[in-house]
Amino acid sequence: MTRGMYGVAAALLALCIFLIDALSPIEGAVAVLYVLVVLIASMTSRRGDILIAGVGALALTIIAYFISHGLDNVASPALRAFVSVAAITIATLLAIQNQASTHALAEQANLLNLTHDMIFVRKHSGEITFWNHAAEEVYGWSSSEAIGRKADELLETRYPEDRDTVETTLMRTGRWEGTLEQRTRSGVPIVLDSRWSLQRDRLGQVMGVLETHTNITERNAAHAALVRSERRYRHMFDSTRIGVVQEDWSGIREELERHAALNGGRRVGHVSTIPGFMARARRLVRILDVNPAFLEMIGVEKTENFTQTIDDVLDTGDISFAEAIEAFVRGDPFYEGETELVRAGGSLVPVLFAITFPAIDDDGNVLVFVVDISERKQAQDALNLAQSELAHAARVATLGELTASIAHEVNQPLMAVVTNGEAGMRWLRRNPPDLHEVETAITRVIAEGRRASDIVKRIRDFLKKAPAKQDELCLPALIEEAVALVEHELERAKVDVLLEVQGGLPRIRGDRIQFQQVLVNLMVNAGQAMADHPGRRAIFVEASRLGKDEVAIAIRDTGPGIPEDHLQRLFDPFFTTKQNGMGMGLAICRTTVEAHGGRLTVESTPGDGATFQLVLPTSQPGLP
Amino acid sequence: MIRNASAAAAPVESVPFVAVVDDDPAVREALDSLFRSIGLATRLFGTPADLMSSPLPSAPGCIVLDVRLPGISGLDFQAHLVEHGVELPVVFMTGHGDIPMTVRAMKAGAIDFLAKPFRDQEMLDAVTAAIERDKRRRSATAAREELRSRYETLSPREREVMAHVVSGLMNKQVAGMIGLSEITVKIHRGNVMRKMGVRSLADLVRQAEALGISKP
């Protein structure tokens, strides 16, 4: 029934009562029936409605009294009217009071409806008497459906302990807390955190039990997943072949922050600028945990025997740690590098590692993944050895092609030495001896002896079978040495060599002999290509800077050029156009250049010479 | 021109000389010292072209040549010299002498072929021999030229008489053949003997052979 319907009913009833009261001859307190009007109005639970009904009823009672009796009859009708007025007033006041308390209760119920927890109230015997919105939503039964049902049966509650124990606890302490399993209307099991409290009246009689439930099904699932995940990662940590080290870098961070504070809050640029930092830093990184793979890698039996800081495992020659700290300072998320670890026996094991740095607000733990690359290193060493053997063989072959001119080149100073010596003897034996001539001759003997030894040294160096070095090399000197090796041969082949080396070229890093080999090879090839060429015979060697971090060396000839179909296969191993060629020269050249981080390319227009271009990185990229 | 044979030989230039052609200055200087130590004059050249464009002493001499020279091979250069009428003997040096090259060089008139490094005595012997040959060639040339100039002073009639006389005819027979009196032939014959500077008929016959005079 709506408010309007209550209003109409109250008004109609009031009209009937007024008509009977004012017009009928009935003697009695008919007006008392207005109390019913007030009660109907109170059904709307509105204070205003009740007041209107009460005041209206009082007014009608008084009007009816004056219509029936006027002002003269005051005895018994007046008494009856007074009783009616009193009854209406009392009913109105009671209705208003009742409305107020109902209103307060409704407010409280609303509060219970606002919470996300499922709250219901049940009698001690189990019948539900209150069921909030959250309970409606989660369990699936509406309030009207739930009320009156027994809670345990409706929800198929399963307790973590005996039901009687729960009851005992509840009765003794007035409270119970625990985790329950219940089922929703659709049969889905849910896990809940449950809190019960017992309500008693003033006499201590149990009125009901308020149960509050929090759905922790998802939280539980997440926790279980976390546990599974932890177990999985622990398993990976223990059984992986990759070494894992958990380190604490907070010491490093504190040190850096302290240093920054000393410098007025400025961020640390290069840690190498902090005096003594690198020496301390190795002892500042504490090792928290290592996995079995890592222990095996460094030849340690048990975790207990293990070391405290990375100073105990890093080789003294390590430079990767400094770079890792630079990356850490820069705020890089990770760093990858290569280093050598000290095994228990003192031997070194080459490893590849990756460090993941935590975010600043994280717990400061750093994970390092370490892979033993001994085998790879051995394979690489074997490959390098094979390559250097091959390169050596190619150098021998190249010089073999130059034997005639080398013999001549060595013979010249030797012949000068011998002849000067003999001439000196003759000047000495003359009568009188010509000492000035003797001195001149001996001076020349010394100079030519040196020259011969320089030539022999140059050739011996070129033929030396030494492991590749990583030296800082000066490009102009490198080119001049290479040219010196082939100059004579090219001169005999009537080929001009023209150098154009840009001034102030940056240095390059690598093996001097290997670079020489590349240049010698390219120049000898160019010379041979022009052997039967009728036109001009010249080789231009041009060195220049290319961009910021590279240098280019171009070797250009004026020969017949390279046919299109040869160009494609020029750098292939065993590709040769020479009668007795091995076909390894250019293949080795390219491998050598690429091993130094450079590239070797060729361009040729048939009939118009060929140009080989070598591009190499400078030894210190970024420097002007 | 490389040399002028008819130029008057100054005393200084009568010292025999060696022209050294080698592209290596150290080798040139060493040879220079060696040759000078035995009193020879030297001329040093880096390339054959340098030698061709410089005047050489008129004294007897020889050329010492590296067989592999920049620009032109020593053997080609030798041929080139011959073409240009330079008759100086050539001594070859080589760092890597091979048989075909040696044969070619010797056929072309090389005195010697020395492999570097050689003993000083070998080189000096070769050079001395070359200079001796040059001297002999020079004196032979000089004698032939003197004979030729003497012959040129003869009158046509005297040359005619000489030709008949050296062929073994008696004065009377000569007179009969050319229609002169015997006494006139005798006078011509006397002039011939005087102008040619010979005393006996035998000497005159040898000169005629050298001059290639045959019976008219």
Side-chain angles (χ1 to χ4, degrees):
Chain A
M1 292 241 293
T2 66
R3 186 182 158 216
M5 288 164 77
Y6 284 121
V8 171
L12 281 174
L13 183 62
L15 184 64
C16 291
I17 295 167
F18 177 73
L19 290 175
I20 294 166
D21 191 18
L23 305 176
S24 76
I26 296 169
E27 294 285 322
V30 179
V32 170
L33 294 174
Y34 281 123
V35 170
L36 291 173
V37 175
V38 173
L39 286 178
I40 290 171
S42 76
M43 296 300 277
T44 65
S45 296
R46 279 165 177 267
R47 191 184 170 88
D49 291 354
I50 299 167
L51 270 175
I52 289 168
V55 171
L58 286 174
L60 289 173
T61 307
I62 293 164
I63 291 167
Y65 172 79
F66 283 113
I67 290 172
S68 314
H69 310 290
L71 293 167
D72 41 349
N73 266 333
V74 282
S76 67
L79 184 67
R80 283 198 302 276
F82 178 74
V83 168
S84 298
V85 167
I88 292 166
T89 306
I90 290 164
T92 303
L93 289 175
L94 283 174
I96 286 174
Q97 196 184 11
N98 185 49
Q99 185 272 334
S101 63
T102 307
H103 186 71
L105 268 175
E107 292 280 301
Q108 283 167 2
N110 268 343
L111 279 178
L112 290 179
N113 276 335
L114 284 177
T115 172
H116 292 291
D117 287 342
M118 293 80 86
I119 298 175
F120 60 85
V121 181
R122 61 172 172 86
K123 291 180 185 164
H124 193 219
S125 53
E127 287 88 2
I128 294 164
T129 57
F130 175 80
W131 187 257
N132 78 344
H133 278 328
E136 286 184 324
E137 271 168 29
V138 175
Y139 291 123
W141 289 279
S142 73
S143 175
S144 52
E145 286 167 328
I147 288 173
R149 302 278 299 272
K150 282 198 178 240
D152 283 358
E153 287 165 15
L154 180 71
L155 300 167
E156 299 177 37
T157 309
R158 284 166 61 194
Y159 293 90
E161 48 195 326
D162 191 44
R163 180 71 180 83
D164 293 337
T165 318
V166 173
E167 194 63 29
T168 315
T169 311
L170 180 68
M171 294 312 289
R172 199 179 65 241
T173 64
R175 313 184 63 79
W176 179 81
E177 281 185 26
T179 305
L180 299 175
E181 263 186 54
Q182 293 176 329
R183 274 180 195 279
T184 65
R185 186 173 196 171
S186 50
V188 177
I190 51 177
V191 183
L192 308 112
D193 250 356
S194 187
R195 293 172 300 284
W196 295 4
S197 59
L198 200 63
Q199 292 181 310
R200 293 174 192 271
D201 62 14
R202 283 179 204 137
L203 301 171
Q205 291 295 307
V206 173
M207 285 172 65
V209 180
L210 179 80
E211 295 192 14
T212 306
H213 301 272
T214 309
N215 187 354
I216 57 164
T217 312
E218 279 173 18
R219 202 171 75 195
N220 251 20
H223 180 70
L226 197 65
V227 169
R228 274 199 304 279
S229 167
E230 282 281 347
R231 202 177 296 138
R232 195 161 57 235
Y233 283 114
R234 188 72 220 180
H235 181 70
M236 279 163 65
F237 185 80
D238 286 340
S239 61
T240 179
R241 301 244 308 130
I242 294 174
V244 186
V245 185
Q246 195 185 353
E247 297 173 354
D248 177 4
W249 280 49
S250 54
I252 296 274
R253 180 172 292 153
E254 283 160 19
E255 179 90 8
L256 289 172
E257 278 165 5
R258 195 158 51 243
H259 184 80
L262 283 176
N263 278 281
R266 266 188 302 116
R267 222 172 63 103
V268 179
H270 275 270
V271 289
S272 52
T273 59
I274 308 176
F277 177 73
M278 287 317 301
R280 283 200 306 282
R282 286 166 63 126
R283 286 189 297 275
L284 286 175
V285 174
R286 288 195 305 120
I287 294 176
L288 301 178
D289 197 6
V290 298
N291 71 345
F294 184 79
L295 289 176
E296 193 185 327
M297 213 176 279
I298 59 161
V300 173
E301 286 284 320
K302 289 194 189 90
T303 319
E304 293 85 70
N305 300 339
F306 198 57
T307 45
Q308 301 298 310
T309 71
I310 61 160
D311 193 41
D312 303 317
V313 286
L314 273 185
D315 181 38
T316 44
D318 172 77
I319 51 162
S320 67
F321 181 54
E323 287 166 7
I325 289 186
E326 297 286 1
F328 179 63
V329 170
R330 274 199 305 276
D332 291 358
F334 62 86
Y335 173 79
E336 289 175 353
E338 214 179 305
T339 189
E340 286 182 322
L341 298 179
V342 184
R343 283 176 61 89
S347 60
L348 296 177
V349 51
V351 295
L352 206 63
F353 67 90
I355 302 183
T356 54
F357 296 119
I360 296 296
D361 51 358
D362 214 335
D363 57 3
N365 282 358
V366 169
L367 277 184
V368 186
F369 299 91
V370 189
V371 181
D372 183 345
I373 52 168
S374 303
E375 279 175 24
R376 209 187 76 174
K377 201 99 180 166
Q378 276 163 13
Q380 186 66 44
D381 287 349
L383 184 66
N384 287 347
L385 189 68
Q387 267 176 2
S388 84
E389 291 272 351
L390 189 60
H392 177 251
R395 283 204 294 278
V396 173
T398 305
L399 275 199
E401 290 175 35
L402 308 180
T403 321
S405 67
I406 287 171
H408 182 86
E409 213 182 340
V410 179
N411 242 341
Q412 290 290 98
L414 286 184
M415 134 126 207
V417 165
V418 171
T419 308
N420 273 310
E422 288 166 338
M425 292 290 277
R426 286 176 186 275
W427 289 113
L428 202 57
R429 287 197 202 110
R430 272 161 77 118
N431 193 13
D434 188 332
L435 292 181
H436 178 70
E437 289 284 356
V438 172
E439 189 190 336
T440 309
I442 291 175
T443 308
R444 286 175 184 160
V445 164
I446 294 166
E448 289 307 298
R450 292 231 166 91
R451 179 178 146 205
S453 114
D454 284 350
I455 295 166
V456 171
K457 182 177 182 302
R458 194 163 67 219
I459 292 162
R460 268 187 52 172
D461 280 355
F462 190 72
L463 287 182
K464 206 184 278 173
K465 201 194 274 182
K469 290 187 199 147
Q470 285 287 312
D471 293 327
E472 295 256 318
L473 301 173
C474 169
L475 213 47
L478 195 71
I479 292 172
E480 272 161 33
E481 281 166 0
V483 168
L485 279 165
V486 292
E487 200 168 34
H488 214 86
E489 173 75 11
L490 294 173
E491 205 171 78
R492 305 225 148 248
K494 300 179 179 61
V495 174
D496 294 330
V497 183
L498 296 131
L499 295 186
E500 199 178 317
V501 180
Q502 210 176 60
L505 283 178
R507 285 165 176 264
I508 55 170
R509 181 179 283 279
D511 187 77
R512 191 169 59 90
I513 301 301
Q514 289 189 2
F515 280 133
Q516 269 186 22
Q517 179 172 5
V518 172
L519 296 175
V520 164
N521 220 307
L522 294 176
M523 286 189 282
V524 168
N525 281 355
Q528 287 171 345
M530 291 187 287
D532 301 318
H533 191 61
R536 185 180 183 200
R537 300 179 192 178
I539 298 175
F540 299 88
V541 181
E542 295 150 349
S544 58
R545 194 160 188 161
L546 188 73
K548 212 157 86 61
D549 298 335
E550 287 177 327
V551 287
I553 306 170
I555 293 173
R556 183 159 58 85
D557 67 55
T558 57
I562 302 164
E564 188 96 29
D565 54 328
H566 286 183
L567 267 183
Q568 307 296 325
R569 298 153 55 208
L570 209 56
F571 294 103
D572 293 352
F574 306 113
F575 175 77
T576 183
T577 56
K578 296 181 200 165
Q579 196 79 49
N580 300 312
M582 187 163 58
M584 290 307 290
L586 284 176
I588 291 171
C589 285
R590 179 168 267 185
T591 310
T592 304
V593 172
E594 285 173 356
H596 284 88
R599 31 187 208 282
L600 175 61
T601 52
V602 62
E603 275 175 26
S604 176
T605 314
D608 193 29
T611 304
F612 284 82
Q613 194 177 42
L614 256 142
V615 175
L616 294 164
T618 60
S619 65
Q620 285 173 300
L623 281 191
Chain B
M1 234 356 257
I2 296 171
R3 74 192 180 94
N4 190 347
S6 60
V12 177
E13 291 196 333
S14 66
V15 175
F17 75 94
V18 185
V20 178
V21 187
D22 195 302
D23 60 335
D24 192 327
V27 172
R28 287 201 300 271
E29 284 164 1
L31 289 173
D32 170 62
S33 180
L34 179 67
F35 294 142
R36 283 190 299 101
S37 74
I38 60 160
L40 295 169
T42 54
R43 292 287 186 279
L44 308 179
F45 304 98
T47 65
D50 288 352
L51 183 139
M52 296 298 283
S53 60
S54 315
L56 286 179
S58 57
C62 69
I63 298 174
V64 172
L65 199 61
D66 190 314
V67 82
R68 287 176 187 264
L69 287 170
I72 179 169
S73 94
L75 292 174
D76 291 342
F77 178 57
Q78 187 188 21
H80 189 75
L81 288 173
V82 172
E83 270 171 39
H84 284 74
V86 178
E87 293 173 85
L88 286 174
V90 177
V91 174
F92 276 106
M93 300 180 287
T94 177
H96 25 70
D98 52 356
I99 291 167
M101 207 179 267
T102 315
V103 171
R104 237 186 98 193
M106 297 308 271
K107 273 188 177 167
I111 287 291
D112 216 334
F113 210 96
L114 300 174
K116 288 180 186 174
F118 36 75
R119 300 183 61 82
D120 58 344
Q121 200 55 58
E122 287 176 304
M123 173 55 91
L124 293 178
D125 288 350
V127 166
T128 311
I131 290 170
E132 276 311 311
R133 185 200 271 193
D134 194 42
K135 276 183 182 163
R136 279 201 307 277
R137 181 187 57 76
R138 279 162 181 276
S139 53
T141 306
R144 197 164 59 239
E145 275 176 4
E146 194 195 323
L147 199 60
R148 174 71 59 191
S149 59
R150 281 172 189 259
Y151 182 68
E152 272 162 13
T153 61
L154 301 183
S155 68
R157 186 58 89 186
E158 286 166 349
R159 292 182 191 174
E160 199 178 0
V161 169
M162 179 176 165
H164 287 297
V165 168
V166 295
S167 68
L169 294 180
M170 309 293 287
N171 289 351
K172 195 192 236 170
Q173 291 170 301
V174 176
M177 283 189 78
I178 58 176
L180 292 174
S181 68
E182 193 179 346
I183 192 77
T184 312
V185 168
K186 205 171 177 175
I187 293 166
H188 281 311
R189 184 177 169 160
N191 284 345
V192 168
M193 296 290 273
R194 181 176 47 81
K195 283 183 177 173
M196 293 305 285
V198 291
R199 292 202 194 107
S200 67
L201 178 62
D203 286 343
L204 190 66
V205 170
R206 245 194 336 270
Q207 282 189 349
E209 277 172 1
L211 286 167
I213 296 165
S214 56
K215 202 175 168 185

